[in-house]
Each structure stands twice: as structure tokens, then as C-alpha cells.
């Protein structure tokens, strides 16, 4: 927990145990996905998320740019994408649904999370994995 709240500064973006900003508490932010429940996905998943955060970006947390066939663009967080439409969170609670037939291209989702293997020493990474695995 000390690395999560201190050196790693993880609480700036991630809520721990549902006590974050979206839950009305003061333990963690809402810019990144909440961490409770990740223990069920295992230590390997948590470690990969820390050292290669771009490998699997949680829905609603990856930035994309959609270029429409008319040349206009829409930028925001990718909420969902299927054969029929792409939904983008434009911020401030505004969602934009773009029909698949109107889309020329979509960039790959990009995460704002840094690769923590470049920030933390191996022991600190292990500590953060252990802490995340301990969350309810």
C-alpha cells in the first residue's frame, strides 16, 4: 500500500477497494479503472498491467481518434466498438455513437498509464502486485 500511495503514485488515477472518487471516498482517483476485483484475474495479469499497460486497456480508458468517411474526426475514450457502431466518451458525460458504416479508420487505443517497470524497482512492482491482489 505504501508504494501504491507513495512512490508509484497509483492512487492518483486508480481507486482501491471501491473507496475512490467514483465511490465517494478519498482513496484513489477515477482517471484509471478501479482495482478491486483484479485479484480474480491473477498475479500475472496484474503484473502485465503494470509493466505493459497498453497490452489490455480497460473499456472506457483508452484514447482513440475516429476518422469518418467525410474526413471529420472524433477523439475521446473508447467505450465500446462492434460491427454496428463505435461509442466514444467525449468527456463531461457526453457519449458519441458513430455508425460503423460512417467510419474510415480508428486509431488503436492509447493509455495514459506509464509503464511502471520504468518507474519502479522490481521489489516495488512486487509490492504493488501483492497489494492489488489483496483488494476486495
Amino acid at each position: 500500500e505504501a508504494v501504491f500511495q507513495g512512490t508509484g503514485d497509483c492512487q492518483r488515477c486508480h481507486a482501491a477497494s471501491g473507496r475512490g472518487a467514483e465511490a465517494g471516498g478519498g482513496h484513489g482517483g477515477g482517471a484509471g479503472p478501479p482495482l478491486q476485483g483484479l485479484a480474480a484475474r491473477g498475479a500475472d495479469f496484474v503484473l502485465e498491467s503494470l509493466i505493459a499497460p497498453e497490452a489490455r486497456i480497460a473499456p472506457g480508458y483508452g484514447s482513440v481518434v475516429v476518422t469518418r468517411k467525410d474526413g471529420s474526426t472524433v477523439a475521446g475514450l473508447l467505450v465500446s466498438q462492434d460491427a454496428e457502431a463505435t461509442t466514444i466518451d467525449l468527456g463531461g458525460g457526453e457519449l458519441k455513437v458513430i455508425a460503423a458504416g460512417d467510419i474510415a479508420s480508428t486509431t488503436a487505443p492509447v493509455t495514459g498509464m506509464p509503464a511502471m517497470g520504468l518507474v519502479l524497482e522490481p521489489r516495488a512492482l512486487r509490492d504493488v502486485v501483492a497489494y492489488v491482489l489483496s483488494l476486495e
Side-chain angles (χ1 to χ4, degrees):
E1 186 173 8
V3 176
F4 181 86
Q5 292 181 358
T7 312
D9 206 18
C10 310
Q11 86 289 344
R12 176 176 285 184
C13 297
H14 296 281
S17 298
R19 297 175 295 196
E22 66 275 8
H27 188 67
L35 302 179
Q36 64 273 11
L38 284 185
R41 299 187 84 173
D44 289 343
F45 177 83
V46 174
L47 180 59
E48 179 187 49
S49 297
L50 288 167
I51 61 174
E54 74 287 348
R56 297 183 211 181
I57 302 172
Y61 295 96
S63 298
V64 296
V65 176
V66 175
T67 302
R68 295 181 178 146
K69 289 182 179 175
D70 69 5
S72 64
T73 59
V74 177
L77 298 176
L78 179 63
V79 175
S80 65
Q81 186 174 36
D82 59 29
E84 296 181 17
T86 296
T87 302
I88 306 294
D89 181 345
L90 301 176
E94 184 180 355
L95 297 179
K96 180 74 170 177
V97 179
I98 306 165
D102 293 338
I103 297 173
S105 65
T106 304
T107 62
V110 176
T111 179
M113 181 171 163
M116 296 307 290
L118 301 175
V119 177
L120 298 175
E121 297 294 326
R123 180 174 176 90
L125 283 169
R126 287 191 302 269
D127 290 347
V128 172
V129 170
Y131 176 66
V132 170
L133 293 176
S134 76
L135 299 174
E136 301 171 3

